[in-house]
Amino acid sequence: MGTWFSSPVPPAGYGVHLLNGAKGGAPLAFRVAQLPPDVLAFLQESEPASASEDCLESLHFERTVDYPSVPKHIYFEGCFHSLGLTTEPVRSMHPRHGGDVDKPAAHPRIMAFIEAFRQANASWLSEIGKKLPSTIAGGIFQKLFEDGFNLADVAVQIHFGDTIEGEDLGWHRDAVNSVLHMAVSLRGRRALHSYQASSPTGGLEHVVNWQEPGQVYISSPWAFMHAVEYPSASWDDRVVAMQCRFLMKTDDLRNSNFDNEKLGFIEAFTHCLSKADVRMPTLEAIQEIMARFPNSGIPTDGGASSTID
């Protein structure tokens, strides 16, 4: 395996969001990193990031509307999985509407990057699984770690057109599969707006983190309110970003009782992420993993359907 590139990450920042049913706020870690320039170029050349607009539908992208008051803002999203060498679509939870759908395999370059990241950060990722509480939710996520489903739900988002800012921002919290979430900016500029505080009982402050190409953040946006600002952009200056979450089915949500477990649950993730030596993989390491793909017949558009057991 190639030498790992250790990102220059600052100390973790912490914030809170007052979770329903919890006393006080949830501790959070927010880590940032930078892709090596050659890794960024490698991912920018992947089909989702380099394709023309008229090819997006054939690549499993859908045009969606998050900002109806700004009709000239254009948003495409493609939902994929990144389960190692698996070539078949996997039935799992849709990140937007929550129902289970068949997600095709991500582009091989994206799959190889995510697997290389998991290998580079295996120590602290495995530690999270060990620290999860002995609860229904803890057991579900322990199994997701064991099965390699962490960061295996991949949404590639493409934005261009009119500006999204101010009152048009779409404030929300993600589903619980974003309790560990990695966002990777591939093209364009965007800003993550969030409400965070410095202590469980402290007042929430509006924080803005601008994301440039190659920047990465890892946090738990399930546990804090956030929104994304998009400057006006032509197609050539479009924003392309990758959102990586736990790959899970809606049954995992229905079979759990997260409301009674939220604070202890988020503490396990925050404890490990705040102390983690977050590393970005080198291009060499990614290519070594990707070299196994041709022998496994991995296509860029997926094959027959399968499900998560």
Side-chain angles (χ1 to χ4, degrees), residues 7-263:
S7 318
V9 293
Y14 292 89
V16 302
H17 173 71
L18 300 182
L19 298 171
N20 294 333
K23 295 180 179 180
L28 299 170
F30 191 95
R31 302 298 300 268
V32 297
Q34 180 73 37
L35 294 177
D38 54 355
V39 171
L40 173 60
F42 180 78
L43 293 176
Q44 287 176 332
E45 292 167 2
S46 67
E47 211 163 32
S50 63
S52 61
E53 183 181 354
D54 57 3
C55 291
L56 292 178
E57 185 176 347
S58 67
L59 296 173
H60 306 284
F61 280 80
E62 296 180 351
R63 182 169 173 178
T64 187
V65 178
D66 273 11
Y67 312 101
S69 62
V70 190
K72 292 185 179 180
H73 180 85
I74 311 301
Y75 175 23
F76 287 93
E77 183 174 54
C79 300
F80 308 93
H81 76 80
S82 180
L83 288 179
L85 297 179
T86 302
T87 64
E88 300 174 345
V90 173
R91 192 160 185 82
S92 58
M93 186 172 68
H94 193 282
R96 295 176 56 81
H97 58 64
D100 289 341
V101 297
D102 290 334
K103 294 176 187 168
H107 188 277
R109 293 188 181 210
I110 292 174
M111 295 181 75
F113 165 75
I114 294 173
E115 178 57 27
F117 178 88
R118 283 193 290 248
Q119 291 184 21
N121 296 277
S123 176
W124 64 267
L125 286 171
S126 63
E127 189 66 20
I128 295 175
K130 297 174 184 176
K131 289 189 176 297
L132 286 171
S134 299
T135 59
I136 295 174
I140 287 173
F141 278 83
Q142 283 174 354
K143 187 174 189 306
L144 291 173
F145 271 114
E146 292 169 2
D147 293 342
F149 290 167
N150 55 302
L151 305 178
D153 183 306
V154 183
V156 180
Q157 302 170 339
I158 300 174
H159 290 260
F160 61 100
D162 284 357
T163 303
I164 300 298
E165 62 183 358
E167 294 182 356
D168 294 317
L169 293 175
W171 290 94
H172 65 286
R173 278 174 47 209
D174 289 0
V176 73
N177 64 329
S178 283
V179 67
L180 179 66
H181 183 116
M182 179 170 69
V184 183
S185 292
L186 298 179
R187 294 186 183 277
R189 301 180 75 235
R190 63 196 185 101
L192 177 71
H193 292 245
S194 62
Y195 280 103
Q196 300 182 17
S198 58
S199 70
T201 57
L204 295 174
E205 298 181 1
H206 187 175
V207 179
V208 182
N209 298 96
W210 279 96
Q211 307 290 309
E212 307 286 346
Q215 291 188 323
V216 178
Y217 73 80
I218 306 171
S219 191
S220 303
W222 165 64
F224 61 91
M225 292 296 293
H226 59 282
V228 182
E229 175 180 345
Y230 296 98
S232 175
S234 66
W235 170 258
D236 289 342
D237 296 322
R238 66 194 179 279
V239 170
V240 181
M242 196 163 62
Q243 313 294 333
C244 306
R245 313 170 172 97
F246 278 97
L247 189 72
M248 61 190 299
K249 298 182 72 174
T250 53
D251 282 349
D252 291 331
L253 297 180
R254 287 193 289 266
N255 294 334
S256 302
N257 186 7
F258 289 103
D259 282 342
N260 293 336
E261 306 174 12
K262 284 179 176 176
L263 203 55

